[in-house]
Amino acid sequence: GDSVTQMEGPVTLSEEAFLTINCTYTATGYPSLFWYVQYPGEGLQLLLKATKADDKGSNKGFEATYRKETTSFHLEKGSVQVSDSAVYFCATGTYKYIFGTGTRLKVLA
Amino acid sequence: EAGVVQSPRYKIIEKKQPVAFWCNPISGHNTLYWYRQNLGQGPELLIRYENEEAVDDSQLPKDRFSAERLKGVDSTLKIQPAELGDSAVYLCASSSRDRSEKLFFGSGTQLSVL
């Protein structure tokens, strides 16, 4: 069945550092890919998505590109802020969504 | 717009007791999901509804779990009897037909089975 593997955390960075959170997937067909974020004390919310190969999703300075040849959807941000501290989940699917285990990011001032 | 509302926020019960969780999705969202999230893990789908029909319940442990979505709006997830391993956060999410790929999650119900 479909699955998602993302890098384990926690990831600790200083403010303004570059962020990469790796995500790879296995899936039949051509599912959409997502990054969800869970801020402390809040519910999961969609951060960005891409629906087909080579699409780039972006939001709040975060980007991820749907790479079919490497089955990857790595999350990147050029300069993280303390307010980006959260748990990030990679997900794949169409109607039935499979989530990764989450990567906790902590950004230090 | 109001978000997905879940209650209760927390529930502590003893094993073998029944428990129920309630979800009110965003108005107009025809698709409703129940997920279970164990500590340190990602959400795992239990059941998906399209209106009042359960279209995917393959991951629902049917010997002890049941769910319903009367009139295609609110939904209830029940566990009877609860086991220690059921301790987790139970998440409800909804989506609309025109934006079906964006899930809106509630804050979840954190269940502790003692």
Side-chain angles (χ1 to χ4, degrees), chain A residues 97 99, chain B residues 33-36 43-46 89-91 103 105:
Chain A
Y97 301 100
F99 287 80
Chain B
Y33 304 78
W34 282 103
Y35 281 87
R36 176 170 59 189
E44 296 177 328
L45 180 68
L46 292 174
V89 177
Y90 291 83
L91 298 168
L103 300 185
F105 282 87

Side-chain angles (χ1 to χ4, degrees), chain A residues 32 34 36 89 95-97 100, chain B residues 33 37 42 56 100-101 103:
Chain A
S32 296
F34 310 85
Y36 279 80
F89 294 90
Y95 299 114
K96 180 174 182 174
Y97 301 100
Chain B
Y33 304 78
Q37 186 176 17
D56 185 351
S100 61
E101 292 203 306
L103 300 185

Side-chain angles (χ1 to χ4, degrees), chain B residues 35-99:
Chain B
Y35 281 87
R36 176 170 59 189
Q37 186 176 17
N38 292 309
L39 188 64
Q41 301 295 314
E44 296 177 328
L45 180 68
L46 292 174
I47 188 168
R48 173 169 67 95
Y49 283 92
E50 293 289 344
N51 300 307
E52 66 275 9
E53 182 183 359
V55 296
D56 185 351
D57 63 356
S58 57
Q59 306 275 59
L60 190 72
K62 298 182 185 62
D63 56 336
R64 297 183 300 109
F65 286 65
S66 64
E68 61 182 10
R69 191 184 184 198
L70 300 177
K71 300 182 181 179
V73 183
D74 295 0
S75 179
T76 302
L77 178 69
K78 297 178 181 178
I79 309 175
Q80 182 170 11
E83 297 179 351
L84 296 176
D86 296 331
S87 295
V89 177
Y90 291 83
L91 298 168
C92 179
S94 68
S95 65
S96 67
R97 189 170 282 120
D98 60 347
R99 300 188 68 188

